[in-house]
């Protein structure tokens, strides 16, 4: 699994191989110069021959060369860091773009079936974790490999025997790091999963805070939060504990290396066996011993971030690997015309394979007709709308617009034919003008005002502090529910689509305003094929055709008067709503 993740991340880094090559070249120069410094320090030490006998002129030259070496090394280290940052952040930018584009292409059944907070966490938090892991991992990879190879070469020039001792002890450090990494990998994946679950809960609680407080759910919400947070704490504690063992364990091994070098070097300096070493050479070798073990320490020090990055990348790729909406064929059509008909021909559909919902639905909506869909909750009214818009595809049968199967029409072309006003309002953080012009960004202020007047929103907008330039918070939190609904209606009126879908569009508006908006809708629906989903039957009495649904089937259809005369299901619904009057 880790190899697969590394390979996939490497694939995203491929366009930036130039930066990686530059980083590797700078790493070689920077490390080589930094490794040359101990040689110069050893030479400087050897200029101290005995008390009172020091070659200050030679030492001055060596120290000057050492200063130039250190400064030049720092410059190349900065360039290396710049190159790795460019490669990392551009790769992460591409990953984030891919993830966002993927979310836009995911079918609604995936979005509806997963916690939105967890999905947001994967696209935002997990990508950031990959960024941190990549940045640390690439930097340590470049500097570590070059440092290990370079120090071995420099140590060989001083003493092959002591170098052999260092190399023989090294595998112990690698074994310890690999073992700890293996046992901590699963812990980090559990940690990221709990974090995503927690993000989902917080988003739900914040988004529905009024409902939470209205139903006194605060304590239960806190209990749920505490339970998830406890699991996150436990997973995080185990992950951090396991990974924290790496650094002290490898440092212990490195201490053995350093001690071995010091002891053997001292023996060589005193006895000359197996080779003679000066005090300066021992100083250089001890410095190399530290630099040789340093990459192992650095890698284990950032092991937490690397393991977290692997876990985050795995969660991110799970989203990227999800099946997308079925691709449109190359022969998709663009529907043209001014009059549109919509036909359901023996349509069946279910969200879950073993649970039937819509069965044998037949609808013939002629051009300019107003079709009302009524029925009890859960009978499939909104599902009909979802199928018309191709948010879901039918299981069997077909839906046609102007005799063209909608599966042969491009989604963008199909959806551009409809204007939708839903029961659930959606506004984004921005000005009122921008929200109304969401479907027509280039609309003039005059056009926006005309649409707002038609939706009866102009009067309350002009009473706001900055009128149409008033900033509203995310989802219109500083507006009433009715005001938000009026803005959504104005948004559709501005686009002026050839067909309309109204799904409980006036459910959040007071009765007086509803009567006025209904008149605006009546004018707007003239000459347009329209579908109206409603629970309040008073709003659809003027429909050309009323479809009565129950248990996923159309059980009655006709005009309001015809259905009342039949004294069937619709008549019972209507009478139950108006029994008092």
């Amino acid at each position: 699994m880790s190899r697969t993740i590394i390979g996939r991340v490497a694939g995203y880094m491929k366009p930036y191989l130039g930066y990686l090559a530059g980083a590797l070249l700078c790493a070689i120069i920077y490390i080589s110069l930094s490794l040359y410094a101990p040689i110069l320090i050893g030479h400087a030490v050897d200029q101290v021959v005995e008390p009172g006998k020091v070659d200050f002129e030679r030492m001055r030259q060596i120290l000057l060369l050492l200063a130039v070496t250190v400064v030049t090394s720092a410059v190349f280290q900065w360039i290396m860091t710049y190159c790795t940052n460019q490669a990392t952040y551009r790769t992460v930018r591409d990953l984030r773009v891919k993830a966002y584009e993927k979310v836009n292409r995911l079918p609604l059944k995936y979005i509806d079936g997963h916690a939105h907070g967890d999905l947001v966490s994967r696209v935002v938090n997990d990508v950031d974790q990959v960024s941190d892991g990549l940045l640390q991992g690439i930097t340590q990879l470049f500097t570590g490999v070059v440092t290990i190879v370079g120090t071995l070469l420099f140590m060989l020039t001083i003493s092959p025997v002591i170098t052999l001792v260092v190399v023989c002890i090294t595998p112990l450090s690698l074994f310890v790091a690999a073992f700890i990494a293996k046992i901590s990998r699963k812990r980090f994946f559990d940690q990221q999963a709990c974090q995503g679950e927690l993000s989902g809960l917080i988003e739900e609680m914040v988004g529905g805070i009024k409902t939470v407080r209205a139903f006194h759910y605060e304590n239960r919400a806190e209990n749920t939060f505490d339970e998830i947070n406890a699991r996150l704490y436990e997973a995080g504690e185990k992950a951090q504990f396991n990974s924290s063992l790496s650094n002290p364990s490898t440092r212990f091994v490195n201490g053995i290396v350093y001690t071995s070098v010091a002891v053997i070097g001292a023996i060589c300096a005193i006895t000359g066996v197996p080779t003679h070493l000066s005090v300066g050479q021992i100083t250089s070798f001890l410095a190399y011993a530290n630099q040789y073990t340093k990459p192992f320490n650095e890698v284990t020090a950032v092991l937490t971030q690397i393991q977290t990055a692997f876990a985050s990348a795995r969660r991110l790729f799970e989203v990227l690997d999800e099946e997308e909406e079925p691709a449109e064929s190359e022969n998709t059509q663009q529907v043209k015309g001014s009059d549109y008909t919509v036909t359901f021909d023996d349509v069946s559909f279910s969200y879950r394979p073993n649970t039937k919902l819509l069965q044998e639905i037949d609808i013939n909506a002629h051009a300019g007709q107003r079709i009302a869909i009524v029925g009890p909750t859960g009978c499939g009214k909104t599902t009909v709308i979802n199928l018309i818009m191709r948010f879901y595809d039918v299981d069997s049968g077909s839906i046609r617009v102007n005799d063209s199967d909608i599966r042969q029409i491009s989604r963008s072309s199909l959806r551009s034919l409809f204007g939708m006003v839903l029961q659930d309002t959606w506004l984004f953080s921005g000005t009122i003008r921008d929200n109304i012009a969401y479907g027509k960004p280039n609309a003039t202020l005059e056009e926006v005002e005309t649409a707002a007047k038609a939706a009866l929103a102009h009067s309350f907008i002009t009473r706001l502090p900055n009128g149409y330039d008033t900033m509203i918070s995310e989802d219109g939190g500083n507006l009433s529910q009715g005001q938000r609904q009026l803005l959504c209606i104005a948004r559709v009126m501005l686009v002026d689509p050839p067909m309309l879908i109204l799904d409980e569009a006036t459910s959040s508006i007071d009765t007086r305003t509803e009567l006025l908006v209904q008149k605006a809708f009546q004018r707007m629906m003239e000459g347009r094929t329209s579908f109206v989903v409603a629970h309040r039957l008073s709003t659809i009495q003027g429909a050309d055709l009323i479809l009565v649904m129950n248990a996923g089937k159309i059980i009655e259809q006709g005009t309001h008067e015809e259905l009342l005369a039949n004294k069937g299901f619709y008549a019972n619904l209507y009478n139950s709503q108006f029994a008092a009057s």
Side-chain angles (χ1 to χ4, degrees), residues 129-422:
Q129 294 292 349
V130 172
S131 171
D132 293 340
L134 275 178
L135 188 60
Q136 297 288 344
I138 291 175
T139 301
Q140 301 310 327
L141 176 65
F142 284 158
T143 59
V145 171
V146 176
T147 299
I148 291 171
V149 174
T151 49
L152 284 176
L153 293 176
F154 276 98
M155 285 191 294
L156 284 171
T157 61
I158 299 175
S159 174
V161 175
I162 303 180
T163 303
L164 181 62
V165 173
V166 172
V167 172
C168 289
I169 300 176
T170 299
L172 181 59
S173 179
L174 294 175
F175 172 78
V176 170
F179 175 75
I180 295 175
K182 182 178 179 180
I183 63 174
S184 61
R185 186 177 298 117
K186 183 181 182 301
R187 301 299 185 188
F188 280 103
F189 182 79
D190 294 341
Q191 179 185 359
Q192 292 305 108
C194 289
Q195 190 171 7
E197 189 177 350
L198 193 65
S199 298
L201 174 68
I202 293 172
E203 188 200 33
E204 290 176 357
M205 293 301 105
V206 173
I209 189 64
K210 293 180 181 178
T211 304
V212 171
R213 292 182 178 176
F215 285 91
H216 309 291
Y217 196 84
E218 295 94 334
N219 291 335
R220 284 177 288 173
E222 288 180 8
N223 291 336
T224 304
F225 175 87
D226 291 340
E227 187 271 328
I228 299 174
N229 196 37
R231 285 193 282 113
L232 177 60
Y233 170 79
E234 182 180 359
E237 183 183 39
K238 291 179 179 178
Q240 297 297 328
F241 176 77
N242 289 340
S243 64
S244 65
L245 294 175
S246 298
N247 197 261
S249 299
T250 52
R251 285 187 179 276
F252 174 75
V253 177
N254 297 340
I256 296 175
V257 173
Y258 192 84
T259 303
S260 301
V261 169
V263 172
I264 297 175
I267 293 174
C268 292
I270 296 172
T271 65
V273 179
T275 183
H276 178 72
L277 294 177
S278 67
V279 175
Q281 287 177 316
I282 295 175
T283 303
S284 300
F285 215 108
L286 288 173
Y288 286 135
N290 267 336
Q291 286 184 298
Y292 176 77
T293 56
K294 187 178 179 182
F296 302 108
N297 294 335
E298 290 176 342
V299 170
T300 53
V302 297
L303 191 61
T304 298
Q305 290 159 300
I306 294 174
Q307 291 288 346
T308 303
F310 274 128
S312 297
R314 179 179 168 187
R315 282 166 44 82
L316 179 62
F317 287 136
E318 284 177 358
V319 175
L320 293 177
D321 291 339
E322 279 296 326
E323 185 178 351
E324 300 179 2
E325 279 188 316
E328 297 179 339
S329 67
E330 298 178 357
N331 300 321
T332 54
Q333 306 169 14
Q334 301 289 324
V335 179
K336 297 179 180 179
S338 56
D339 297 325
Y340 296 92
T341 62
V342 179
T343 305
F344 278 61
D345 186 8
D346 196 25
V347 168
S348 295
F349 173 80
S350 62
Y351 292 106
R352 292 181 292 274
N354 299 324
T355 305
K356 293 182 179 180
L357 183 54
L358 296 185
Q359 304 172 58
E360 303 171 355
I361 299 296
D362 291 299
I363 301 174
N364 289 295
H366 302 298
Q369 255 192 331
R370 283 171 284 183
I371 308 295
I373 307 174
V374 301
T377 300
C379 68
K381 301 186 299 296
T382 299
T383 302
V384 170
I385 302 304
N386 288 337
L387 295 178
I388 294 175
M389 296 293 289
R390 274 200 77 191
F391 294 145
Y392 294 86
D393 281 329
V394 300
D395 294 336
S396 63
S398 64
I399 303 175
R400 299 191 301 276
V401 173
N402 286 3
D403 295 325
S404 297
D405 192 313
I406 62 173
R407 287 169 292 191
Q408 301 303 318
I409 303 173
S410 67
R411 292 187 180 92
S412 58
S413 175
L414 174 68
R415 292 167 185 170
S416 67
L417 299 176
F418 292 91
M420 292 185 67
V421 181
L422 305 177

